[in-house]
């Protein structure tokens, strides 16, 4: 599919996970903002967002201000405030300068036991705070081996997205669990099949579903980004490891068709 056939502006999102102190986070964000300011969003052909650890959000908000680089968080609590030690609400993230928040990353689903219901509640909280929810879903290695990929993705999509999801307030990231941080990537045909199904679901369940941004995530690197980003219904990437190096992340962003 060429860029002309695809009216959706891609999104390249960097998930820094639990990486970064103030100095290296500021250097990485500063370098990306500098490149983006110089190149401008037209040269990029995509929107850019970085999702650093929560400790860096307010400092990086100042660094990327007035640049095409937006700020996102990696998680939020479903409630706006209250007795929830250690948690951060979506409203607080918005106050810290975020425009996006990732919810339902497989590391949260697996390591923190987050169910589809929890993920949906977090996405609703994100919307209430005016944030774009980046809802992650994807099958495990065992589910893939059992031929369950499309069924799992279908179930997660239906259960994890709020009823009020629209192309403006929601992004969906298809991240096969077995591809995250492993260097393994599904075939082009496998990604295309999942994204075609996601598009069909989006058309039926999401406001302006034709324009819902469907990201692929899982071992996206400078060397495979162009091929992945050219797949029909792939409207960007959620990037983990390769988002920690400005040159790699920039090359991925420049690979958008
Ligand atoms: C992720 O954590 O969302 C991710 C896709 O990681 P990586 O790019 O390192 O596989």
């Amino acid at each position: 599919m060429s860029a002309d056939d695809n009216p959706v502006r891609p999104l390249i999102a960097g998930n820094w996970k639990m990486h970064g102190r103030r100095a290296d986070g500021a250097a990485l964000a500063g370098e990306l903002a500098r490149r983006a300011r110089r190149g401008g969003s037209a040269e990029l052909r995509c929107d850019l967002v970085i999702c650093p650890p929560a400790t860096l959000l307010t400092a990086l908000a100042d660094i990327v201000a007035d640049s095409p680089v937006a700020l996102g968080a990696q998680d939020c609590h479903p409630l706006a405030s209250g007795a929830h030690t250690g948690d951060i609400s979506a409203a607080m993230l918005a106050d810290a300068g975020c425009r996006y928040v990732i919810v339902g990353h497989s590391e949260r689903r697996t390591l923190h036991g987050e169910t589809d219901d929890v993920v949906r509640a977090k996405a609703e909280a994100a919307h209430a705070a005016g944030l774009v929810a980046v809802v992650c879903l994807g099958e495990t290695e065992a589910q893939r081996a059992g031929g369950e990929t499309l069924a799992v993705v279908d179930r997660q999509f239906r259960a994890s997205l709020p009823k009020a999801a629209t192309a403006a307030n929601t992004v969906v990231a298809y991240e096969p669990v077995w591809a995250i941080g492993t260097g393994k990537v599904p075939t082009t045909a496998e990604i295309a099949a999942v994204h075609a199904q996601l598009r069909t679901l989006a058309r039926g369940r999401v406001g302006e579903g034709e324009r819902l941004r469907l990201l692929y995530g899982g071992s996206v690197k400078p060397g495979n980004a162009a091929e992945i980003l050219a797949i029909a219904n792939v409207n960007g990437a959620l990037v983990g490891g390769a988002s920690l190096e400005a040159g790699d992340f920039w090359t991925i962003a420049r690979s958008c068709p």
Side-chain angles (χ1 to χ4, degrees), residues 138-222:
E139 81 286 0
T140 64
E141 183 124 54
Q143 289 167 332
R144 180 187 193 227
E148 297 168 42
T149 297
L150 294 180
V152 168
V153 165
D154 185 277
R155 175 178 51 72
Q156 290 183 330
F157 187 101
R158 291 174 193 276
S160 301
L161 264 67
K163 279 205 171 59
T166 69
N169 67 19
T170 303
V171 172
V172 169
Y174 167 55
E175 297 209 302
V177 179
W178 54 272
I180 295 176
T182 60
K184 297 186 212 163
V185 179
T187 64
T188 301
E190 286 170 329
I191 296 173
V194 172
H195 279 246
Q197 169 168 300
L198 292 173
R199 180 65 65 207
T200 301
L201 283 164
R203 283 194 196 106
R205 301 179 63 86
V206 173
E208 279 208 275
E210 188 62 39
R211 301 186 59 79
L212 180 72
R213 291 198 277 198
L214 301 173
L215 313 189
Y216 167 79
S219 296
V220 176
K221 306 289 178 201

Side-chain angles (χ1 to χ4, degrees), residues 78-134:
L79 298 177
S81 62
H84 297 280
T85 302
D87 283 315
I88 301 174
S89 75
M92 291 168 175
L93 297 175
D95 185 51
C98 290
R99 284 175 43 205
Y100 295 81
V101 59
I102 298 169
V103 295
H105 190 280
S106 70
E107 288 151 17
R108 302 287 318 175
R109 290 179 185 262
T110 307
L111 303 173
H112 296 262
E114 292 186 7
T115 61
D116 289 331
D117 286 347
V118 170
V119 174
R120 191 178 65 251
K122 290 185 173 194
E124 284 166 354
H127 294 164
L131 298 178
V132 176
V134 181

